[in-house]
Amino acid sequence: MRKQGGFTLIELLVVIAIIAILAAILFPVFAQAREKARQASCLSNTKQLGLAMLMYAQDYDEIFAGSYSFPNGWNVCPQFIWADMIQPYVKNIQLMSCPSGQYRFATDSGRLGCAPIEALYGTPALGTTARPWTLGYFYNEGYNDNTASQYCPGGDTSVDGCACYHGMHASACPLIPGTTDTSMDPGISLAAAEEPANLIMLFDGNQNGENQVRGTAAAFRYPRDTDLTVDAYGVAYTDGEYLDAARTIKKGRTAKRHTGTFNVVFADGHSKAFRQSTPGMWTRRADGP
């Protein structure tokens, strides 16, 4: 009686080919499912950060946390960013990081060896070159950097001569005690957001590539720091570049890291994913650009 032999070489090659075909089909599906899970986790982060921003506003006379705070002057201890100001409400530094990508915030001026910062995070202070802070989100300041946009009657300044901001950043003006641009970047009031459900507060972002070390935590210029190349007045910005769906590194700070989408949290606290923003999402005015 003949003994049953093993698989032939052809049979093994056929099985291997079938496995390879199945892997080629399934691996992208698995990768997409994993990214969807990361996107959901990131969206949950933005939702919690939005609630923290609203809690901060309720405790501070309905004024949102600003992008930065320099109570003793620029680059002088303490140098707070928006994430520091809402930290007592979240008590979780990992919440500031997007699982799909981030940058590392680090600046020693005003943070290294600074007692108020160390009181929050220990020594060495978080957000310094000795201990970079992994962040995934930027604050929407919305500075008007082009007079052709018509947003401000005085071009880059408002009618009272203040620096013109139209995102979450209040107009910086020496006429307002304690809020000059050299001491503090203040947030707007709840009432100033004419359409809070359409005003981006925080968003998936980075600067000059993932995992780069940078000392900024906000999108400053409108619309060049966004994913827009033209504003609502039809003014084109030839250098208004951004991180596109193919993750090409450009000048903007919007990071479409979730299969071509980015998560945002609006001034009313709700979060949503977008493939493309519109000009009105970056301004607090209902009829703004």
Side-chain angles (χ1 to χ4, degrees):
M1 187 172 181
R2 188 177 177 182
K3 200 171 183 181
Q4 181 66 40
F7 292 109
T8 66
L9 178 60
I10 294 177
E11 290 173 332
L12 287 174
L13 290 175
V14 169
V15 171
I16 292 173
I18 292 173
I19 293 174
I21 292 171
L22 290 175
I25 295 172
L26 294 177
F27 282 175
V29 175
F30 293 152
Q32 188 174 23
R34 183 177 62 178
E35 180 50 43
K36 284 293 183 184
R38 289 175 174 173
Q39 181 180 10
S41 176
C42 174
L43 195 64
S44 175
N45 286 357
T46 59
K47 176 65 176 177
Q48 293 181 68
L49 294 178
L51 291 175
M53 292 285 280
L54 289 172
M55 291 169 67
Y56 178 98
Q58 292 297 332
D59 284 348
Y60 288 90
D61 299 323
E62 298 192 344
I63 302 295
F64 283 104
S67 49
Y68 304 95
S69 177
F70 305 95
N72 296 322
W74 193 263
N75 290 334
V76 178
C77 172
Q79 178 178 331
F80 293 113
I81 63 173
W82 61 268
D84 298 313
M85 289 182 270
I86 65 171
Q87 187 58 215
Y89 300 92
V90 296
K91 297 182 179 179
N92 185 340
I93 61 175
Q94 284 78 26
L95 196 67
M96 307 295 178
S97 175
C98 172
S100 292
Q102 54 274 316
Y103 68 98
R104 286 174 291 161
F105 170 76
T107 179
D108 291 342
S109 299
R111 293 184 73 90
L112 187 63
C114 180
I117 304 293
E118 291 176 346
L120 282 173
Y121 309 111
T123 305
L126 189 63
T128 60
T129 52
R131 189 184 171 196
W133 192 355
T134 300
L135 298 179
Y137 312 103
F138 273 115
Y139 182 102
N140 171 29
E141 286 189 348
Y143 175 69
N144 176 49
D145 72 331
N146 191 308
T147 56
S149 71
Q150 305 176 48
Y151 179 81
C152 293
D156 289 342
T157 58
S158 59
V159 290
D160 54 4
C162 303
C164 182
Y165 291 84
H166 52 97
M168 291 297 297
H169 189 314
S171 293
C173 184
L175 301 177
I176 305 173
T179 60
T180 64
D181 199 39
T182 57
S183 63
M184 184 173 184
D185 286 354
I188 62 171
S189 66
L190 288 171
E194 297 180 12
E195 289 185 341
N198 196 50
L199 170 59
I200 290 176
M201 182 161 53
L202 304 171
F203 63 95
D204 262 323
N206 61 31
Q207 183 183 9
N208 300 327
E210 305 284 10
N211 292 313
Q212 298 292 313
V213 179
R214 291 293 181 268
T216 55
F220 173 51
R221 298 185 180 277
Y222 169 88
R224 290 191 297 165
D225 280 350
T226 70
D227 64 339
L228 304 173
T229 55
V230 62
D231 66 21
Y233 294 110
V235 178
Y237 292 76
T238 55
D239 57 352
E241 299 173 338
Y242 57 93
L243 185 69
D244 64 13
R247 297 185 68 172
T248 301
I249 305 303
K250 296 187 177 180
K251 292 182 180 178
R253 296 178 181 177
T254 303
K256 297 182 178 181
R257 54 172 69 107
H258 304 294
T259 58
T261 66
F262 69 110
N263 291 326
V264 307
V265 57
F266 292 93
D268 70 340
H270 88 278
S271 297
K272 193 174 181 179
F274 284 93
R275 213 165 271 282
Q276 178 68 49
S277 67
T278 61
M281 292 179 182
W282 301 93
T283 173
R284 59 179 175 268
R285 280 191 0 187
D287 60 345

